[in-house]
């Protein structure tokens, strides 16, 4: 075993590309999840004694807006836009927070998206595009 990959390795560069794709997919899935919550409130089970209780239509709008911005940021990451990395980290962080609060409505789905968000944050935070070594 060697040292962990640095911020300028090809491995982390590939991780950023994958994070951009994941952000696109995650955003698209959030859009679909949001639309389903807006269109039909009874898609998700009602949770009566949950601390973070909110109207599912409200959750739908939150997820729809967050997903639309995530799709734009994911596209920006794939186009290597500087603003997109910071935006992607912020969006993945918000997504983690909202998925945590959405746990009782769709627990397995939320845990999967939480794991994807952790990878996105790691990949975008560890990559240093200016330090990339030429081949």
């Amino acid at each position: 075993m060697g040292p962990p990959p640095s911020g300028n390795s090809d491995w982390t560069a590939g991780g950023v590309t994958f994070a951009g794709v994941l952000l696109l997919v995650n955003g698209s899935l959030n859009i679909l999840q949001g639309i389903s919550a807006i269109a039909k409130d009874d898609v998700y089970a009602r949770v009566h004694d949950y601390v973070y209780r909110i109207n599912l239509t409200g959750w739908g709008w939150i997820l729809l807006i967050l997903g639309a911005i995530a799709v734009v940021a994911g596209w920006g990451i794939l186009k290597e836009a500087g603003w997109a990395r910071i935006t992607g980290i912020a969006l993945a962080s918000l997504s983690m927070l909202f998925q945590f609060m959405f746990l009782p409505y769709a627990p397995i789905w939320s845990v999967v998206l939480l794991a994807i968000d952790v990878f996105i944050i790691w990949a975008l935070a560890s990559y240093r595009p200016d330090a990339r070594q030429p081949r």
Side-chain angles (χ1 to χ4, degrees):
M1 292 186 73
S6 66
N8 60 358
S9 71
D10 288 334
W11 195 84
T12 53
V16 167
T17 302
F18 187 53
V21 171
L22 281 178
L23 202 55
L24 269 169
V25 171
N26 195 4
S28 300
L29 293 174
N30 278 340
I31 288 171
L32 295 174
Q33 187 178 10
I35 289 171
S36 68
I38 291 167
K40 203 152 175 99
D41 244 6
D42 59 348
V43 170
Y44 297 104
R46 299 276 182 216
V47 179
H48 297 289
D49 293 330
Y50 186 53
V51 176
Y52 305 112
R53 205 165 117 199
I54 188 172
N55 182 330
L56 284 177
T57 304
W59 275 123
W61 281 108
I62 289 170
L63 292 172
L64 179 69
I65 292 167
L66 186 66
I69 298 169
V71 166
V72 172
W75 184 257
I77 289 167
L78 293 177
K79 293 294 184 182
E80 298 180 6
W83 59 268
R85 282 184 51 235
I86 294 169
T87 305
I89 291 171
L91 287 172
S93 300
L94 279 174
S95 176
M96 285 180 70
L97 175 68
F98 292 136
Q99 290 302 329
F100 174 76
M101 291 191 294
F102 204 73
L103 269 169
Y105 300 105
I108 295 172
W109 182 255
S110 293
V111 169
V112 168
L113 289 180
L114 281 166
I116 289 172
D117 289 332
V118 167
F119 175 80
I120 290 170
I121 292 169
W122 171 82
L124 295 178
S126 64
Y127 181 59
R128 304 285 180 261
D130 298 333
R132 191 154 184 219
Q133 297 172 350
R135 291 183 182 204

